[in-house]
């Protein structure tokens, strides 16, 4: 017999919002570990005390922003979904009859009122601290990498920097003249013009820069997002958005490492960073030397040749302080490069190269599931807020997964690597590094030799003093 739906609209309905959300829903799991009790105090200085109408609850706004990242929704789409989504209303602590804040409220809070509060950085630190307290984060082996984030601007918005000289005409299109079709009215004036970051700027997003991944790729207005990852757990310890420059990756890596060293005790990291791995883009001498000065072993392929180089020597002594410092710096850099070359033959280096790809997995997750492939806002500071919120959501997912595994001891062991072989290699290498690295003053001690003869830069034949520093 053909069935019919007997339900009919009723004026009043008794609904239990708690019963509508399944017990194993991901919003329940995230809500169980999410602590936003500090939000009201963190943004209290952004509001006038005792004046004006009551604002939207800051915790409600933060929960809505996190939902937008979890489900990859814009502010408009988010407010529409919360209006009819029972699980989202439950997560935001809203009943069915409670009004949903307007999307413009979220934009103004994020971009204006809370812009200088540092709320999102504090939120990320709180989540990292939770991950450290439950034993998820190790902190000894780190991975760094960067990825492109496409800007919310078109190449057609680029104009020459500064005013156009008087009497000059706009550049002609390559299709103009001859037998080509006439240029349509309102067409882009920059067609056929060579666009460069040093000569042109986007009028839509002045902070965005032209960038392309390879010679055969399209150049697009973009930003760079950089991650400093705890390799074992894939928890994002630092994430930064920067403009596209030639030294953006090594500079951002060193800045994130310094920040982590400064706040390591506040974040309750169980271990001090000992190893940093990255791709060839980070294999420049300045970053390698700076990491060794901070007692961090770089597992990074150099941009230079792989053969061991001789330490530079000079035939004539110098008493000029500037020249002496320059010579000491060159010797120090040569030692740093040779130390990295020596690490190529270690088992720990090979394991680090295999684990480095986890940074790529983290970026792929953020771009595919949480909208980090393209900036939703304009300006490097606002893009920074976007990537930070994405990192918070990704870390919450790691924390939920870790706490949900049983038994806990087996989960802690499983997080050390993707296989037992990787775990044993990684742990053995960490122990070898801790036991066989000489003090940094021994590694960087300049060789004692006689300096005679005429001025000039030559290659010495003495063996580096640090070749046995790493086993």
């Amino acid at each position: 017999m053909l069935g019919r739906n007997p339900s009919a609209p009723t004026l009043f309905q008794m609904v239990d919002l708690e019963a509508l959300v399944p017990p194993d829903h991901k919003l329940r799991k995230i809500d169980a570990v999410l602590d936003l009790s500090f939000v009201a105090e963190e943004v209290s200085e952004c509001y006038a005390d005792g004046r004006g109408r009551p604002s939207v609850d800051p915790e409600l706004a933060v929960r809505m922003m996190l939902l937008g990242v979890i489900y990859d929704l814009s502010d408009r789409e988010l407010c529409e979904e919360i209006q009819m989504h029972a699980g989202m209303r439950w997560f935001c602590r809203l009943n069915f009859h409670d009004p949903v804040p307007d999307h413009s409220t979220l934009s103004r809070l994020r971009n204006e009122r809370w812009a200088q509060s540092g709320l999102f950085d504090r939120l990320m630190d709180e989540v990292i601290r939770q991950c450290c307290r439950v034993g998820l984060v190790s902190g000894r082996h780190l991975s760094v990498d960067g990825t492109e984030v496409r800007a919310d601007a078109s190449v057609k918005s680029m104009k020459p920097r500064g005013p156009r000289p008087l009497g000059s005409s706009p550049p002609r299109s390559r299709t103009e003249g001859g037998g080509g079709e006439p240029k349509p009215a309102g067409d882009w004036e920059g067609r056929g013009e060579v666009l460069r970051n040093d000569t042109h700027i986007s009028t839509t997003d002045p902070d965005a820069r032209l960038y392309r991944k390879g010679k055969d790729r399209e150049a697009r207005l973009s930003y760079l997002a950089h991650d400093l990852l705890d390799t074992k757990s894939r928890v994002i310890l630092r994430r930064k958005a920067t403009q596209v420059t030639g030294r953006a990756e090594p500079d951002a890596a060193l800045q994130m490492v310094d920040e982590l060293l400064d706040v390591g005790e506040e974040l309750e990291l169980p271990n001090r960073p000992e190893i940093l791995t990255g791709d060839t883009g980070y294999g420049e001498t300045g970053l390698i030397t700076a990491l060794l000065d901070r007692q961090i072993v770089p597992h990074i392929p150099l941009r230079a040749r792989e053969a061991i180089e001789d330490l530079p020597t000079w035939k004539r002594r110098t008493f000029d302080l500037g020249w002496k410092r320059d010579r000491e710096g060159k010797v120090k850099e040569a030692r740093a490069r040779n130390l990295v070359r020596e690490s190529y033959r270690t088992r720990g280096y090979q394991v680090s190269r295999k684990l480095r790809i986890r940074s790529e997995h983290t970026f792929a997750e953020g771009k595919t599931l949480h909208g980090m492939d393209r900036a939703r806002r304009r300006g490097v500071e606002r893009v920074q807020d976007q990537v930070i919120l994405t990192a918070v959501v990704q870390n919450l997912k790691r924390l939920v997964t870790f706490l949900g595994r049983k038994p806990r001891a087996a989960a802690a062991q499983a997080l050390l690597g993707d296989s037992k072989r990787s775990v044993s290699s990684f742990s053995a290498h960490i122990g070898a590094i801790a036991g066989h690295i000489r003090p940094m003053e021994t590694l960087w001690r300049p060789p004692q030799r006689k300096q005679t003869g005429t001025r000039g830069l030559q290659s010495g034949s003495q063996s580096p003093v640090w070749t046995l520093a790493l086993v």
Side-chain angles (χ1 to χ4, degrees), residues 273-344:
E274 298 178 0
I275 300 174
L276 178 69
T277 182
D279 56 25
T280 312
Y282 298 90
E284 56 104 14
T285 304
L287 178 60
I288 298 298
T289 307
L291 291 175
L292 290 174
D293 287 340
R294 291 157 177 78
Q295 299 184 359
I296 298 177
V297 179
H299 282 180
I300 303 173
L302 294 174
R303 297 178 182 177
R305 63 182 186 275
E306 296 185 2
I308 297 293
E309 61 180 289
D310 296 329
L311 299 183
T313 58
W314 291 264
K315 292 185 177 181
R316 176 176 294 183
R317 298 179 61 186
T318 179
F319 297 95
D320 184 272
L321 184 60
W323 286 7
K324 188 174 182 180
R325 289 177 177 174
D326 183 63
R327 291 181 178 183
E328 291 177 352
K330 291 181 179 180
V331 174
K332 183 178 180 180
E333 292 175 353
R335 288 178 175 171
R337 290 190 293 268
N338 285 339
L339 180 59
V340 174
R341 294 184 179 103
E342 286 289 334
S343 69
Y344 290 169

Side-chain angles (χ1 to χ4, degrees), residues 143 352-362:
S143 177
S352 295
R353 300 309 302 155
K354 294 179 180 179
L355 297 179
R356 191 201 65 80
I357 198 173
R358 295 188 176 184
S359 295
E360 304 288 351
H361 298 165
T362 304

Side-chain angles (χ1 to χ4, degrees), residues 370-441:
H370 305 299
M372 207 180 73
D373 57 331
R374 180 157 187 164
R376 293 190 179 274
R377 287 164 283 280
R378 295 165 182 170
V380 65
E381 295 182 355
R382 296 180 179 180
V383 175
Q384 171 71 12
D385 293 340
Q386 176 184 348
V387 298
I388 285 291
L389 281 176
T390 306
V392 169
V393 170
Q394 292 180 268
N395 287 345
L396 286 173
K397 292 169 63 177
R398 305 285 185 272
L399 181 59
V400 167
T401 303
F402 177 74
L403 295 177
R405 290 178 177 173
K406 296 180 181 180
R408 182 70 54 80
Q413 293 296 329
L415 285 171
L416 290 174
D418 296 332
S419 64
K420 295 182 179 179
R421 181 177 301 177
S422 298
V423 172
S424 59
S425 301
F426 180 78
S427 302
H429 177 60
I430 290 293
I433 289 295
H436 295 86
I437 292 183
R438 295 180 181 176
M440 285 297 142
E441 56 268 17

Side-chain angles (χ1 to χ4, degrees), residues 142-198:
L142 306 180
S143 177
V144 64
D145 202 359
T147 188
E148 175 190 7
V149 178
R150 187 171 181 179
D152 186 21
S154 171
V155 176
K156 295 183 179 181
S157 67
M158 299 195 71
K159 303 293 181 183
R161 293 179 179 268
R164 190 181 298 274
L166 296 176
S168 62
S169 58
R172 297 183 59 188
S173 170
R174 294 177 181 174
T175 59
E176 288 186 57
E181 297 183 0
K183 184 178 180 180
D187 193 16
W188 181 37
E189 295 182 355
R191 190 180 302 277
E193 185 177 1
V194 178
L195 304 179
R196 298 170 55 92
N197 287 324
D198 56 350

Side-chain angles (χ1 to χ4, degrees), residues 1-284:
M1 182 177 65
L2 182 64
R4 297 286 185 178
N5 183 13
S7 178
T10 59
L11 184 59
F12 300 103
Q13 293 187 15
M14 299 297 295
V15 179
D16 183 9
L17 188 60
E18 185 74 21
L20 293 179
V21 184
D24 58 344
H25 196 273
K26 63 180 178 181
L27 292 182
R28 279 194 180 274
K29 298 177 181 179
I30 293 177
D31 182 73
V33 300
L34 183 62
D35 181 15
L36 299 178
S37 58
F38 65 93
V39 171
E41 180 182 357
E42 191 73 18
V43 299
S44 59
E45 297 182 355
C46 302
Y47 297 88
D49 188 13
R51 292 182 297 172
R53 60 174 181 169
S55 68
V56 174
D57 184 11
E59 182 175 343
L60 168 60
V62 173
R63 287 180 176 271
M64 293 179 64
M65 294 177 188
L66 290 177
L67 283 176
V69 178
I70 293 173
Y71 290 101
D72 188 16
L73 300 172
S74 66
D75 289 345
R76 289 178 180 270
E77 295 171 338
L78 174 64
C79 293
E80 293 176 358
E81 289 293 327
I82 295 178
Q83 189 71 32
M84 57 184 178
H85 196 293
M88 291 185 178
R89 281 185 171 271
W90 174 88
F91 185 81
C92 294
R93 308 294 191 265
L94 293 175
N95 294 318
F96 275 113
H97 63 272
D98 293 333
V100 178
D102 190 72
H103 65 87
S104 61
T105 302
L106 300 181
S107 299
R108 291 181 178 179
L109 288 176
R110 184 192 302 111
N111 301 331
E112 299 176 11
R113 189 172 295 274
W114 295 351
Q116 305 299 327
S117 65
L119 172 63
F120 301 125
D121 294 331
R122 170 75 184 278
L123 177 59
M124 182 173 181
D125 289 346
E126 290 292 336
V127 175
I128 295 174
R129 188 177 294 109
Q130 285 183 267
C131 296
C132 294
R133 287 175 179 173
V134 300
L136 174 58
V137 176
S138 170
R140 302 180 70 179
H141 191 287
L142 306 180
S143 177
V144 64
D145 202 359
T147 188
E148 175 190 7
V149 178
R150 187 171 181 179
D152 186 21
S154 171
V155 176
K156 295 183 179 181
S157 67
M158 299 195 71
K159 303 293 181 183
R161 293 179 179 268
R164 190 181 298 274
L166 296 176
S168 62
S169 58
R172 297 183 59 188
S173 170
R174 294 177 181 174
T175 59
E176 288 186 57
E181 297 183 0
K183 184 178 180 180
D187 193 16
W188 181 37
E189 295 182 355
R191 190 180 302 277
E193 185 177 1
V194 178
L195 304 179
R196 298 170 55 92
N197 287 324
D198 56 350
T199 59
H200 291 74
I201 189 172
S202 171
T203 56
T204 304
D205 188 355
D207 289 345
R209 296 291 182 268
L210 284 174
Y211 176 75
R212 62 179 180 180
K213 295 284 290 184
K215 294 182 180 180
D216 299 331
R217 300 289 188 88
E218 173 191 4
R220 304 182 296 189
L221 288 171
S222 306
Y223 292 93
L224 288 179
H226 312 270
D227 270 5
L228 187 63
L229 199 72
D230 179 61
T231 312
K232 184 191 76 170
S233 61
R234 295 178 298 160
V235 171
I236 304 169
L237 300 178
R238 298 283 103 176
R239 174 172 282 178
K240 286 193 175 297
T242 64
Q243 292 180 311
V244 178
T245 60
R247 288 189 50 84
E249 288 190 333
D251 289 348
L254 187 59
Q255 184 180 359
M256 291 188 294
V257 169
D258 288 339
E259 288 183 6
L260 187 62
L261 293 176
D262 292 339
V263 301
E265 295 184 0
E266 298 179 8
L267 297 178
E268 302 180 15
L269 284 178
N271 301 290
R272 188 184 186 278
E274 298 178 0
I275 300 174
L276 178 69
T277 182
D279 56 25
T280 312
Y282 298 90
E284 56 104 14

